[in-house]
């Protein structure tokens, strides 16, 4: 999931404090999941164009990747077979 998939919490579309809090919590959870996946070389499962896809987050620019990193020649996204 990317940030553009979540509604803008600053829009007037949402005024309920619980909804605004839930959106903020989803953004924090997404960020933490990406951090963990990057650190462990684990794929995230995302829905892209209605299909489930494995996505390997890219390491931060200032981080030196090791041989077991998620960016070791593996495509950034792979479709999950059904």
């Amino acid at each position: 999931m990317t940030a553009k998939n979540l509604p803008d919490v600053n829009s007037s579309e949402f005024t309920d404090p619980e909804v605004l809090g839930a959106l903020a919590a989803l953004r924090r959870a997404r960020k933490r999941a990406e951090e963990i996946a990057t650190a462990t070389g684990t794929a995230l499962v995302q829905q892209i164009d209605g299909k489930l896809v494995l996505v390997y987050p890219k390491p931060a620019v200032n981080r030196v990747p090791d041989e077991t990193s998620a960016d070791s020649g593996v495509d950034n996204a792979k479709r999950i077979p059904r």
Side-chain angles (χ1 to χ4, degrees), residues 4-6 8 12 32 36 41 43-44 47 53 55-56 59 61 66-67 82:
K4 65 181 178 183
N5 295 110
L6 291 175
D8 181 15
S12 60
R32 183 67 181 135
I36 292 170
L44 296 170
Q47 183 175 345
V53 178
V55 177
Y56 292 86
V61 175
D66 58 70
E67 296 172 8
R82 289 193 172 199

Side-chain angles (χ1 to χ4, degrees), residues 41-52:
T42 306
L44 296 170
V45 178
Q46 296 182 354
Q47 183 175 345
I48 300 174
D49 296 329
K51 306 273 185 182
L52 294 180

Side-chain angles (χ1 to χ4, degrees), residues 5-29:
N5 295 110
L6 291 175
D8 181 15
V9 294
N10 296 323
S11 74
S12 60
E13 182 179 356
F14 299 104
T15 56
D16 185 350
E18 289 183 12
V19 172
L20 295 173
L23 290 172
L26 286 170
R27 284 190 173 87
R28 287 190 307 271

